[in-house]
Amino acid sequence: MSVVRARAAAKINLHLGVGAVREDGYHELCTVYQAVSLFDRVAAEPWSTWRVETRTEPYVDRSAVPMTNGNIVTRAGALLAELHGVEQRGDLVVDKAIPVAGGLAGGSADAAATLVVLDKLWGLRTPLDQLIELAVQLGSDVPFALLGGTGHGAGRGEIVEAVLDPGEWWWVVVPQRQGLSTPAVYRHFDDMVPDAGAPASSDKVMAALDTGDPRELARALHNDLQRPVFDLRPDLRNLITLGESEGALRGMVSGSGPTCVFLCEDELHADTVADGLRYTGHVTALIATGPAPGPVAE
Ligand code: C5P
């Protein structure tokens, strides 16, 4: 087998309820993730050492990709090799279309795709529950990235259960040139909400998903990190207002930002909203649909 490849989907948090900071420094979450069709691509070949080449779309801030061996994809590979007690290494090529430090979990998606790609390349057939254990060590949203689709996340986000999501949801995704640090956004949340209790329930979003009606989902979308993100990046408020005035059902910051996402009626509507944002806002506007599948090695 020469090259093994997989796609790595971005995620949007349809609901992000953030609770108080825990003793381990993480926040208790109640979240609903949806994987969407904005994909990085990971390809792997056998190699004697770790080598990672990262290629980026023009709107992705290349300087923000960690280029060292600390890169999350080599950490994923090293954990998988360690689990099986093998000495394998790999030559990895990561094509990034998901904005870096954008609140879309691109790095987490790459790590999840790397696990499945190397598992196939090395012929390991690791059971899913063991891959999930490795994913938990790599980051809070890597377990969801392995599963894809739509999922409910608890704990620090790593305890994931699949959610039945019969709808087809259309999003306009507006990346930003400059990313935001997730820890910095959470710290700002702590400053703004010092008395946070249990994270807000996701019941409304779960009920809206069942209806398959984008207007219902638009009403239910919720992100507790949006206020701290707006505080750090006041310009994003205007972007959300602009997208909604261009006809989006609802605009929202994705996860810890700064990417903004706009829910639309259908594909045609998403095209119209994206064109409006490009023309009036002079921004990059991408179209994505969810739920998208998790990584499959080919
Ligand atoms: O788990 P991950 O490495 O992706 O988290 C990155 C950072 O985001 C953490 O170090 C923490 O500062 C913050 N975080 C948090 N609560 C969570 C998830 C992430 O405070 N539930």
Side-chain angles (χ1 to χ4, degrees):
M1 185 178 307
S2 51
V3 186
V4 178
R5 297 184 168 82
R7 294 190 308 183
K11 67 85 183 135
I12 290 172
N13 298 83
L14 307 178
H15 174 89
L16 182 51
V18 180
V21 64
R22 313 189 310 199
E23 284 199 346
D24 62 5
Y26 286 94
H27 293 72
E28 198 65 23
L29 301 185
C30 171
T31 189
V32 179
Y33 300 104
Q34 184 175 81
V36 298
S37 65
L38 174 60
F39 296 108
D40 286 355
R41 290 183 161 73
V42 177
E45 282 183 83
W47 197 252
S48 52
T49 60
W50 287 115
R51 199 164 72 169
V52 183
E53 184 188 350
T54 306
R55 304 188 294 214
T56 51
E57 291 293 327
Y59 56 83
V60 175
D61 179 7
R62 216 186 137 67
S63 66
V65 182
M67 293 293 173
T68 62
N69 261 3
N71 191 312
I72 193 164
V73 294
T74 47
R75 278 201 283 132
L79 278 181
L80 186 64
E82 188 186 303
L83 174 74
H84 292 276
V86 295
E87 288 293 316
Q88 313 276 41
R89 303 283 186 269
D91 180 359
L92 300 164
V93 178
V94 184
D95 282 302
K96 292 192 77 69
I98 306 174
V100 178
L104 296 167
S108 300
D110 297 347
T114 301
L115 288 176
V116 303
V117 157
L118 292 178
D119 186 62
K120 176 143 187 184
L121 185 74
W122 298 340
L124 299 171
R125 295 173 183 272
T126 313
L128 182 61
D129 58 339
Q130 288 186 25
L131 287 180
I132 289 176
E133 278 176 33
L134 300 185
V136 169
Q137 296 174 54
L138 288 161
S140 304
D141 40 25
V142 184
F144 170 72
L146 260 183
L147 300 175
T150 302
H152 184 274
R156 62 179 165 93
E158 89 285 20
I159 305 167
V160 182
E161 262 179 58
V163 167
L164 196 65
D165 180 2
E168 185 185 69
W169 312 97
W170 287 89
W171 300 92
V172 173
V173 178
V174 179
Q176 302 296 311
R177 273 250 140 249
Q178 186 104 45
L180 267 179
S181 143
T182 302
V185 172
Y186 274 104
R187 275 198 302 276
H188 205 58
F189 171 86
D190 293 337
D191 292 342
M192 293 180 80
V193 192
D195 54 353
S201 148
S202 57
D203 288 357
K204 274 192 191 156
V205 158
M206 300 288 256
L209 284 174
D210 263 347
T211 68
D213 179 351
R215 287 177 184 274
E216 293 287 335
L217 184 60
R219 270 192 285 276
L221 295 173
H222 176 91
N223 182 0
D224 279 333
L225 294 182
Q226 180 158 293
R227 232 161 47 88
V229 168
F230 279 166
D231 217 45
L232 295 166
R233 290 284 303 273
D235 54 309
L236 297 180
R237 248 184 226 281
N238 297 337
L239 177 61
I240 298 282
T241 307
L242 180 65
E244 291 178 347
S245 67
E246 291 296 333
L249 299 178
R250 176 94 186 267
M252 180 180 66
V253 167
S254 176
S256 59
T259 306
C260 291
V261 294
F262 297 89
L263 184 60
C264 299
E265 292 271 8
D266 51 28
E267 184 172 13
L268 196 65
H269 184 219
D271 266 335
T272 310
V273 170
D275 275 346
L277 276 160
R278 289 179 197 123
Y279 186 72
T280 9
H282 308 288
V283 295
T284 299
L286 312 166
I287 293 174
T289 181
V296 178
E298 285 165 354

